[in-house]
Amino acid sequence: EKGGYEHFMLKEIFEQPRSIGDCLRGRLNAQEGHLHLGGIHDYINKIKNADRILIIACGTSWHAGLVAEYIFEEFCRIPVEVEYASEFRYRNPVVGEKDVVIAISQSGETADTLAAIELAKSKGATILGVCNVVGSSIPRATHAGSYTHAGPEIGVASTKAFTAQISVLTMMALMIANKKGTLKESVYRNLLIELEAVPDKVAKCLDLNAQIELIAEKYKDASNCLYLGRGYNFPVALEGALKLKEISYIHAEGYPAAEMKHGPIALIDENMPVVFIATKDGSYEKIVSNIQEVKARKGQVIAVVTEGDTEIAAMADHIIEVPAAHEALMPLISVIPLQLLSYHIAVMRGCNVDQPRNLAKSVTVE
Ligand code: M6R
């Protein structure tokens, strides 16, 4: 059942070219300029005219929501707020009929997310779901939605569900932007082509597995690790840190790289590994300076960079080169090496990667 892999997590990481492909299949055809998510068809105008989009989720799904915030705001010019379901439901949130809520959940059973949906629904909001498990509780509680079609995810650490969630949310944003006219036709068409190319680029990242295993060997005994990214790669830093802490039990934190100087920089010495997600995008030069700041304090830098990068290669202790892509789609690619890095570190530390201590696949307790 593990398809020849030692763990479900590794199998699911390696499934991603296919699972992302399955998620896009029948919905996107770049050559024909076709993009359609049947599940939200009746709600397109509602979303297009929304005053605000509220994204509600927990854990890794919340990270996918953060990526979606950047994408929706950039493409659709609709204000977005991303909320932890548990915080949203226990305060007295301002939400009403003009709000569209997108609830993201792999399992479709997360208790806090479900309760947050019921609360928003009682206040008149339109609720869309982005879930993986067909027929689970959350899709049944929403007005409409789109499944991620990633296939069953068994490993407690979410991997292929995360990339499928981002794929669906990107398609939603592109559909709405196209309807709203907030993206130039040429930009829109190019993004469709870029999105269709993602599965092949993910496959190229998987080819880096052996190289990443060697890096893991060097850092497996670390007791702390910092993950830094900016822009679209900031949520990827959070996700990389969560993956490491949940399966290897190494304390890890993700931060927006620019926030380093407001606190975390105090932690940096020769024993501190810092993983930078520093692909070529609008914030590249800024993150290069952040890498210099870490190196000046003797931190160990592992950098995920765009293929052919020489500037960071000259400063970092290790580089992991991933294929170039439109910056908005980079999280789908830059997260892959981080999944592999935490997997190998956890295996080397003798941890139970598929069922880490104290964690459950679906959190149905409040
Ligand atoms: O099933 P859901 O997407 O609602 O689950 C949310 C979180 O419990 C989940 O993402 C959790 O953080 C994972 N263990 C992360 O790998």
Side-chain angles (χ1 to χ4, degrees):
E1 9 120 71
K2 291 184 196 146
Y5 290 95
E6 207 181 324
H7 299 97
F8 282 109
M9 183 183 177
L10 191 63
K11 169 176 176 265
E12 288 158 6
I13 292 173
F14 272 81
E15 265 171 6
Q16 288 173 106
R18 208 213 49 184
S19 55
I20 299 171
D22 286 347
C23 176
L24 304 178
R25 182 158 314 112
R27 294 164 159 178
L28 167 68
N29 184 326
Q31 201 141 47
E32 291 170 13
H34 169 86
L35 176 64
H36 189 71
L37 287 170
I40 58 159
H41 178 83
D42 296 343
Y43 287 86
I44 293 287
N45 281 326
K46 178 84 200 187
I47 311 171
K48 189 187 126 193
N49 299 320
D51 279 357
R52 175 174 75 147
I53 295 174
L54 273 167
I55 299 181
I56 295 178
C58 304
T60 286
S61 298
W62 186 82
H63 296 155
L66 274 186
V67 174
E69 172 183 23
Y70 284 56
I71 293 178
F72 270 97
E73 291 205 345
E74 176 69 25
F75 295 179
C76 311
R77 311 307 299 151
I78 301 172
V80 178
E81 279 170 46
V82 190
E83 301 266 5
Y84 284 117
S86 54
E87 286 299 315
F88 179 83
R89 64 175 288 207
Y90 288 118
R91 60 170 200 269
N92 185 10
V94 180
V95 51
E97 283 164 21
K98 285 184 166 171
D99 290 316
V100 168
V101 169
I102 304 178
I104 310 170
S105 175
Q106 187 286 130
S107 62
E109 300 295 348
T110 302
D112 281 326
T113 309
L114 193 54
I117 289 171
E118 297 300 353
L119 174 63
K121 207 160 55 169
S122 73
K123 294 182 183 278
T126 298
I127 324 284
L128 307 174
V130 174
C131 297
N132 195 42
V133 178
V134 176
S136 53
S137 303
I138 291 175
R140 285 188 277 122
T142 54
H143 294 110
S146 299
Y147 282 110
T148 43
H149 298 309
E153 191 180 64
I154 311 291
V156 164
S158 186
T159 53
K160 64 175 180 171
F162 176 71
T163 48
Q165 288 164 344
I166 297 176
S167 302
V168 166
L169 292 159
T170 304
M171 286 190 281
M172 269 188 192
L174 284 169
M175 249 174 96
I176 291 150
N178 190 39
K179 184 88 177 171
K180 226 181 151 184
T182 42
L183 275 182
K184 275 211 304 204
E185 180 68 15
S186 58
V187 174
Y188 170 74
R189 290 297 286 256
N190 178 52
L191 278 160
L192 298 189
I193 294 168
E194 285 267 351
L195 188 54
E196 215 169 62
V198 165
D200 284 345
K201 292 181 185 180
V202 168
K204 291 222 168 74
C205 294
L206 297 171
D207 292 340
L208 304 169
N209 188 36
Q211 184 210 340
I212 294 169
E213 200 173 347
L214 291 176
I215 299 175
E217 184 67 50
K218 291 217 156 61
Y219 296 98
K220 65 178 195 312
D221 298 319
S223 40
N224 292 288
C225 190
L226 195 57
Y227 285 74
L228 301 173
R230 302 177 83 115
Y232 291 100
N233 280 325
F234 155 54
V236 177
L238 298 184
E239 176 59 9
L242 176 60
K243 283 294 85 90
L244 187 68
K245 78 184 99 175
E246 72 177 328
I247 61 168
S248 77
Y249 318 140
I250 294 175
H251 170 240
E253 284 193 67
Y255 259 93
E259 277 291 306
M260 181 177 67
K261 58 182 169 299
H262 299 285
I265 198 166
L267 296 168
I268 294 172
D269 62 15
E270 64 279 8
N271 298 317
M272 182 62 127
V274 186
V275 178
F276 276 94
I277 304 97
T279 50
K280 284 259 165 62
D281 61 17
S283 43
Y284 180 78
E285 289 308 330
K286 296 276 180 197
I287 208 157
V288 167
S289 329
N290 299 135
I291 295 176
Q292 280 161 344
E293 285 153 18
V294 170
K295 281 318 298 175
R297 289 161 184 83
K298 301 197 167 56
Q300 301 285 313
V301 171
I302 304 155
V304 176
V305 299
T306 305
E307 259 166 18
D309 187 302
T310 50
E311 201 173 340
I312 295 176
M315 300 185 297
D317 297 272
H318 306 276
I319 57 159
I320 301 169
E321 294 185 77
V322 299
H326 188 288
E327 62 176 356
L329 305 181
M330 192 47 93
L332 290 166
I333 294 161
S334 57
V335 75
I336 310 292
L338 306 186
Q339 296 171 343
L340 287 169
L341 185 65
S342 22
Y343 170 79
H344 288 300
I345 290 178
V347 170
M348 286 168 191
R349 289 167 70 96
C351 299
N352 183 348
V353 291
D354 283 337
Q355 279 186 301
R357 67 185 184 204
N358 310 339
L359 285 170
K361 185 62 186 163
S362 18
V363 183
T364 50
V365 291
E366 312 203 332

